[in-house]
Amino acid sequence: MYKVAVIPGDGIGPEIIDAGRMVLDAAGEKFSFDIEWEPFDIGADRYLATGELVTEDDLSDLSRFSSIYFGAIGDDRVQPGILEKGILLAIRFAFDQYINLRPIRMLAGADTPLAGKKPEDIDFVVVRENTEDFYVGIGSRFSGTQKTSLEVLRNLYSVKFGLDIQSDAEELAYQIGVVTREGSERVIRYACDLAMTRKKKLTSVDKANVLSDIYGLWRDVFTSTTRSYPGLFTEFTYVDAVTMWFVKNPEWFDVVVTPNMFGDIITDLGAMIQGGLGLAPGGNINPSGTSMFEPIHGSAPKYKGLNVANPFATIWAGSMLLENLGEREAAAAVVSAIETAITSGVVTKDMGGTGSTSGVGRFVADTIRSS
Ligand code: IPM
Ligand code: MN
């Protein structure tokens, strides 16, 4: 018996989560475990009604769970950034979910926009650092009315860095990226361990040629950490170049490890090459704490309640949740049932089909039960 917290969230979140739960329940029947779901009312509606994003009480309730199943957040009535930072990032940070695991795998039957590439060519994993870098939220914005702050910053720049930046600037903003040895080491170690169970190839993605302080440290940690993995092939790439290689030679990659922001960007690219955002799951993992599994797409408010959203990313995220609970066989059965649905043409409109969210979910669930 597992207890799983559920945050359906906004927009299409509740529908895709319902489909996902149906599938995981079927996996439980087939592989003899039970899931007790505990829903949490966190999202735009509650925020608009009460002003609450994620409260201390939510966090202490959620901390009793090892897994959270998360739908999507984002709502047209709320200014962009508030729910994303106040809910999704708040949970990732509160539970120190330092690994953002994003498989880039073209499933059987899926369509990639990359000409001539087949499922065996597109099968790697991006391990995105999930707590540091430019996501730490340290920054400020100064306008012309805050002359003193502007002066202070200008002086700081010229005294400390010998720079004379726009001495007539009336408005100025800055944002700081933070990388620590400890924060890098734990995620790089996780990526190394993962690579050792796969093709033993690990690629670091950074921008150490320009942001040489933070990513110079990242590279040092990468070099020293990977040294203790004999047989592991390692390489450094720059983020701009890696976007080319993802498109041209996805078959080169096995495990890719990268700081937070580049990880955000390259996994959207990865999602497209594996067949679209509707097929891209992610896990926010703290190996010794509370982990959270979600589709990497958003809440698509305009499709809310229409029962047309593609549930595959959420179902696949559910498979990652099962894997994280140690239910390996069940996890694999879920992904293979998604492949059966795709190859049978039981897919939603975005993938060229006529299936509904619940219909596709039910088909995947039935496929698991009868396998
Ligand atoms: C993602 C999303 C989030 C991120 C946003 C919604 C905060 O883009 O999960 O990739 O930037 O991490
Ligand atoms: Mn993103």
Side-chain angles (χ1 to χ4, degrees), residues 33-34 75 113 132 135 181 196 209 222 237 262 277 302 306 311 333 337:
F33 57 83
D34 262 329
D75 188 293
E132 301 196 328
Y135 276 68
R181 174 168 289 277
M196 294 308 282
N209 49 345
F222 184 89
T237 59
F262 297 146
L277 267 182
K302 71 174 175 185
L306 301 181

mmCIF file of all heavy atoms in Angstrom, residues 33-34 75 113 132 135 181 196 209 222 237 262 277 302 306 311 333 337:
data_model
loop_
_atom_site.group_PDB
_atom_site.id
_atom_site.type_symbol
_atom_site.label_atom_id
_atom_site.label_comp_id
_atom_site.label_asym_id
_atom_site.label_seq_id
_atom_site.Cartn_x
_atom_site.Cartn_y
_atom_site.Cartn_z
ATOM 1 N N PHE A 33 -0.355 -4.086 -5.812
ATOM 2 C CA PHE A 33 -0.176 -3.063 -4.771
ATOM 3 C C PHE A 33 -1.363 -2.120 -4.846
ATOM 4 O O PHE A 33 -2.097 -2.103 -5.836
ATOM 5 C CB PHE A 33 1.152 -2.299 -4.936
ATOM 6 C CG PHE A 33 1.341 -1.623 -6.269
ATOM 7 C CD1 PHE A 33 0.793 -0.364 -6.527
ATOM 8 C CD2 PHE A 33 2.087 -2.227 -7.272
ATOM 9 C CE1 PHE A 33 0.981 0.267 -7.752
ATOM 10 C CE2 PHE A 33 2.281 -1.598 -8.510
ATOM 11 C CZ PHE A 33 1.723 -0.360 -8.748
ATOM 12 N N ASP A 34 -1.549 -1.379 -3.772
ATOM 13 C CA ASP A 34 -2.671 -0.441 -3.705
ATOM 14 C C ASP A 34 -2.124 0.959 -3.547
ATOM 15 O O ASP A 34 -1.135 1.163 -2.850
ATOM 16 C CB ASP A 34 -3.518 -0.735 -2.456
ATOM 17 C CG ASP A 34 -4.718 -1.580 -2.813
ATOM 18 O OD1 ASP A 34 -5.217 -1.439 -3.942
ATOM 19 O OD2 ASP A 34 -5.123 -2.382 -1.950
ATOM 20 N N ASP A 75 -2.829 29.908 -14.955
ATOM 21 C CA ASP A 75 -4.219 30.327 -15.174
ATOM 22 C C ASP A 75 -4.207 31.749 -15.712
ATOM 23 O O ASP A 75 -3.462 32.595 -15.233
ATOM 24 C CB ASP A 75 -4.954 30.263 -13.824
ATOM 25 C CG ASP A 75 -6.446 30.483 -13.981
ATOM 26 O OD1 ASP A 75 -6.847 31.608 -14.350
ATOM 27 O OD2 ASP A 75 -7.198 29.533 -13.736
ATOM 28 N N PRO A 113 9.973 15.039 -35.404
ATOM 29 C CA PRO A 113 10.190 15.924 -36.554
ATOM 30 C C PRO A 113 11.581 15.736 -37.171
ATOM 31 O O PRO A 113 11.865 16.330 -38.217
ATOM 32 C CB PRO A 113 10.030 17.329 -35.962
ATOM 33 C CG PRO A 113 10.199 17.185 -34.495
ATOM 34 C CD PRO A 113 9.875 15.771 -34.129
ATOM 35 N N GLU A 132 19.418 25.276 -7.966
ATOM 36 C CA GLU A 132 20.395 26.369 -7.930
ATOM 37 C C GLU A 132 20.362 27.191 -9.218
ATOM 38 O O GLU A 132 19.329 27.367 -9.829
ATOM 39 C CB GLU A 132 21.808 25.785 -7.730
ATOM 40 C CG GLU A 132 21.975 24.974 -6.471
ATOM 41 C CD GLU A 132 23.443 24.736 -6.115
ATOM 42 O OE1 GLU A 132 24.285 24.630 -7.020
ATOM 43 O OE2 GLU A 132 23.731 24.674 -4.895
ATOM 44 N N TYR A 135 17.830 30.017 -10.868
ATOM 45 C CA TYR A 135 16.513 29.814 -10.252
ATOM 46 C C TYR A 135 16.496 30.186 -8.761
ATOM 47 O O TYR A 135 15.453 30.051 -8.131
ATOM 48 C CB TYR A 135 16.060 28.359 -10.435
ATOM 49 C CG TYR A 135 15.393 28.128 -11.779
ATOM 50 C CD1 TYR A 135 16.121 28.208 -12.954
ATOM 51 C CD2 TYR A 135 14.037 27.844 -11.874
ATOM 52 C CE1 TYR A 135 15.516 28.001 -14.188
ATOM 53 C CE2 TYR A 135 13.423 27.640 -13.104
ATOM 54 C CZ TYR A 135 14.167 27.720 -14.255
ATOM 55 O OH TYR A 135 13.565 27.519 -15.464
ATOM 56 N N ARG A 181 29.528 23.760 -4.847
ATOM 57 C CA ARG A 181 30.189 22.468 -5.042
ATOM 58 C C ARG A 181 29.254 21.337 -4.620
ATOM 59 O O ARG A 181 29.058 20.362 -5.328
ATOM 60 C CB ARG A 181 31.497 22.420 -4.224
ATOM 61 C CG ARG A 181 32.193 21.073 -4.251
ATOM 62 C CD ARG A 181 33.605 21.127 -3.695
ATOM 63 N NE ARG A 181 34.528 21.837 -4.588
ATOM 64 C CZ ARG A 181 35.135 21.284 -5.636
ATOM 65 N NH1 ARG A 181 34.948 20.007 -5.944
ATOM 66 N NH2 ARG A 181 35.946 22.003 -6.397
ATOM 67 N N MET A 196 25.954 4.703 -15.331
ATOM 68 C CA MET A 196 26.582 3.389 -15.155
ATOM 69 C C MET A 196 25.586 2.252 -15.367
ATOM 70 O O MET A 196 25.977 1.124 -15.659
ATOM 71 C CB MET A 196 27.226 3.259 -13.758
ATOM 72 C CG MET A 196 28.416 4.182 -13.523
ATOM 73 S SD MET A 196 29.712 4.119 -14.786
ATOM 74 C CE MET A 196 30.571 2.595 -14.339
ATOM 75 N N ASN A 209 32.526 28.815 -21.140
ATOM 76 C CA ASN A 209 33.368 29.743 -21.910
ATOM 77 C C ASN A 209 32.987 31.199 -21.657
ATOM 78 O O ASN A 209 33.781 32.103 -21.886
ATOM 79 C CB ASN A 209 33.300 29.416 -23.413
ATOM 80 C CG ASN A 209 31.873 29.250 -23.926
ATOM 81 O OD1 ASN A 209 30.947 29.109 -23.142
ATOM 82 N ND2 ASN A 209 31.704 29.268 -25.228
ATOM 83 N N PHE A 222 32.428 18.391 -11.890
ATOM 84 C CA PHE A 222 32.167 17.303 -12.848
ATOM 85 C C PHE A 222 33.425 16.450 -13.015
ATOM 86 O O PHE A 222 33.385 15.224 -12.944
ATOM 87 C CB PHE A 222 31.732 17.890 -14.197
ATOM 88 C CG PHE A 222 31.342 16.861 -15.231
ATOM 89 C CD1 PHE A 222 30.037 16.401 -15.325
ATOM 90 C CD2 PHE A 222 32.289 16.359 -16.128
ATOM 91 C CE1 PHE A 222 29.667 15.454 -16.282
ATOM 92 C CE2 PHE A 222 31.929 15.414 -17.091
ATOM 93 C CZ PHE A 222 30.615 14.960 -17.165
ATOM 94 N N THR A 237 30.099 19.825 -23.145
ATOM 95 C CA THR A 237 29.600 20.538 -24.310
ATOM 96 C C THR A 237 29.110 21.904 -23.853
ATOM 97 O O THR A 237 28.819 22.110 -22.676
ATOM 98 C CB THR A 237 28.398 19.816 -24.966
ATOM 99 O OG1 THR A 237 27.357 19.710 -23.977
ATOM 100 C CG2 THR A 237 28.752 18.438 -25.464
ATOM 101 N N PHE A 262 19.722 25.883 -18.165
ATOM 102 C CA PHE A 262 19.944 25.223 -19.456
ATOM 103 C C PHE A 262 19.126 23.943 -19.532
ATOM 104 O O PHE A 262 18.632 23.559 -20.599
ATOM 105 C CB PHE A 262 21.427 24.921 -19.677
ATOM 106 C CG PHE A 262 22.287 26.162 -19.748
ATOM 107 C CD1 PHE A 262 23.590 26.166 -19.258
ATOM 108 C CD2 PHE A 262 21.783 27.337 -20.302
ATOM 109 C CE1 PHE A 262 24.369 27.304 -19.325
ATOM 110 C CE2 PHE A 262 22.562 28.489 -20.368
ATOM 111 C CZ PHE A 262 23.864 28.467 -19.873
ATOM 112 N N LEU A 277 5.396 17.899 -26.736
ATOM 113 C CA LEU A 277 5.243 18.157 -25.299
ATOM 114 C C LEU A 277 4.249 17.193 -24.649
ATOM 115 O O LEU A 277 4.332 16.914 -23.460
ATOM 116 C CB LEU A 277 4.748 19.591 -25.077
ATOM 117 C CG LEU A 277 5.800 20.677 -24.834
ATOM 118 C CD1 LEU A 277 5.108 22.005 -24.586
ATOM 119 C CD2 LEU A 277 6.706 20.334 -23.657
ATOM 120 N N LYS A 302 -7.039 26.802 -22.331
ATOM 121 C CA LYS A 302 -8.134 26.837 -23.306
ATOM 122 C C LYS A 302 -8.733 25.461 -23.586
ATOM 123 O O LYS A 302 -9.809 25.360 -24.159
ATOM 124 C CB LYS A 302 -7.723 27.571 -24.584
ATOM 125 C CG LYS A 302 -6.755 26.875 -25.475
ATOM 126 C CD LYS A 302 -6.577 27.691 -26.771
ATOM 127 C CE LYS A 302 -5.502 27.046 -27.625
ATOM 128 N NZ LYS A 302 -5.150 27.757 -28.811
ATOM 129 N N LEU A 306 -12.470 20.033 -21.597
ATOM 130 C CA LEU A 306 -12.955 19.552 -22.892
ATOM 131 C C LEU A 306 -12.652 18.065 -23.117
ATOM 132 O O LEU A 306 -13.086 17.479 -24.094
ATOM 133 C CB LEU A 306 -12.345 20.380 -24.033
ATOM 134 C CG LEU A 306 -12.626 21.891 -23.996
ATOM 135 C CD1 LEU A 306 -11.980 22.589 -25.193
ATOM 136 C CD2 LEU A 306 -14.132 22.158 -23.985
ATOM 137 N N PRO A 311 -3.040 12.741 -22.386
ATOM 138 C CA PRO A 311 -2.652 12.342 -21.022
ATOM 139 C C PRO A 311 -1.324 11.574 -20.946
ATOM 140 O O PRO A 311 -0.898 11.196 -19.859
ATOM 141 C CB PRO A 311 -3.799 11.415 -20.617
ATOM 142 C CG PRO A 311 -4.192 10.740 -21.900
ATOM 143 C CD PRO A 311 -3.954 11.757 -23.002
ATOM 144 N N ALA A 333 5.591 -1.632 -17.466
ATOM 145 C CA ALA A 333 4.321 -2.018 -18.093
ATOM 146 C C ALA A 333 3.518 -0.790 -18.490
ATOM 147 O O ALA A 333 2.823 -0.792 -19.508
ATOM 148 C CB ALA A 333 3.516 -2.897 -17.132
ATOM 149 N N ALA A 337 2.418 0.032 -22.235
ATOM 150 C CA ALA A 337 0.998 0.206 -22.583
ATOM 151 C C ALA A 337 0.755 1.534 -23.316
ATOM 152 O O ALA A 337 -0.125 1.622 -24.176
ATOM 153 C CB ALA A 337 0.134 0.120 -21.331
#
